[in-house]
Amino acid sequence: MIELHTRIIFERPASCPVTARLSEGEHLLELQADATDRISQCYRQQGMRGDPARISRRFSNGARFFAIEQDGVLIAWTWALIGVPRYMDEFAWMIQLDQNQAWGRDAFVLPSRRGKRLLLALVDAAAILEGRAMQFFSDVDPANRVSMQAHLAMGMTPFTRIRALSIGQRLIVRQRPDPALPPLQGMRPDQRLLWMKPDDLQWHRMRIA
């Protein structure tokens, strides 16, 4: 199998002012690992896989789950990596983040609630919850126009495009990392041609979430 992966990396500086506020009746939740079943159910209600094992791995890897709730229903959510690495498995890059940096993943807003700037409110509310300004990153498939527009509406700026070609399960042909990215670790990130040995493949699979 041969797959081409393209991602736009977005960035929102820590100096960006907090402008969005939750509406009356909406409040921010951070769900923990003991809420895996609830999170899985929310995914499945929206036609997504919601694999409990994968959700559990995300928590084990340090990801945090923030959501906006109204009348007992989660109306928007995102995963956030705050001060822990973001593993981009398509590139085999482990992107290191400090305590003032966050990386958002898989943000979602109920279709009936879109257009109300809930993602912006979610990011700002999470920053307030942490009690400090944070530089915020996210990566988006450019084919996902809805997500691209949502990131721009949040005041995020695209600053680099990255590509990789995966051939089978063990060979990745990737561009060299943009120096603008936070520091990279993982499997020989400066090598354009990566052939994963058996130990590499095991390490890689343990971090896919």
Side-chain angles (χ1 to χ4, degrees):
M1 179 184 295
I2 299 176
E3 292 183 278
L4 176 64
H5 306 284
T6 304
R7 295 291 183 273
I8 305 295
I9 307 295
F10 281 84
E11 185 261 352
R12 184 173 185 250
S15 59
C16 191
V18 173
T19 58
R21 294 288 187 268
L22 298 179
S23 300
E24 184 176 353
E26 299 173 352
H27 60 278
L28 179 73
L29 292 177
E30 180 179 0
L31 299 184
Q32 309 289 342
D34 58 4
T36 293
D37 288 343
R38 183 183 183 187
I39 296 169
S40 175
Q41 183 180 20
C42 288
Y43 271 87
R44 290 173 179 174
Q45 287 173 345
Q46 301 305 318
M48 296 179 283
R49 185 178 176 189
D51 180 12
R54 187 167 188 176
I55 292 170
S56 295
R57 280 200 305 275
R58 287 197 176 183
F59 281 118
S60 297
N61 290 341
R64 298 167 64 179
F65 186 88
F66 294 98
I68 297 174
E69 183 183 57
Q70 186 175 38
D71 298 327
V73 176
L74 301 187
I75 61 174
W77 61 76
T78 189
W79 291 90
L81 297 154
I82 301 174
V84 296
R86 161 70 164 115
Y87 185 58
M88 300 192 71
D89 54 277
E90 300 90 349
F91 301 83
W93 286 350
M94 183 75 82
I95 302 176
Q96 305 298 307
L97 304 174
D98 65 33
Q99 290 301 313
N100 295 314
Q101 293 175 319
W103 198 294
R105 294 195 59 189
D106 297 346
F108 183 82
V109 177
L110 294 187
S112 61
R113 303 302 299 270
R114 290 175 185 167
K116 301 181 184 300
R117 307 188 79 197
L118 284 178
L119 285 184
L120 178 57
L122 186 61
V123 169
D124 284 343
I128 291 170
L129 183 68
E130 288 300 295
R132 62 185 183 277
M134 289 183 292
Q135 184 182 20
F136 195 85
F137 296 94
S138 185
D139 56 280
V140 181
D141 185 331
N144 189 339
R145 295 184 179 275
V146 172
S147 185
M148 291 285 290
Q149 292 171 356
H151 279 72
L152 292 171
M154 285 193 291
M156 300 190 72
T157 303
F159 72 90
T160 190
R161 178 189 295 258
I162 56 176
R163 295 186 179 91
L165 188 71
S166 58
I167 304 172
Q169 295 184 347
R170 300 178 65 180
L171 179 62
I172 300 177
V173 182
R174 58 195 177 179
Q175 69 180 67
R176 288 192 172 87
D178 190 318
L181 288 170
L184 269 63
Q185 294 183 1
M187 285 182 284
R188 306 174 288 282
D190 292 326
Q191 290 186 8
R192 294 194 68 246
L193 185 66
L194 175 67
W195 174 258
M196 286 190 273
K197 303 173 184 177
D199 287 348
D200 292 332
L201 194 59
Q202 181 179 7
W203 183 91
H204 170 73
R205 287 173 173 167
M206 287 176 61
R207 284 158 180 79
I208 295 176

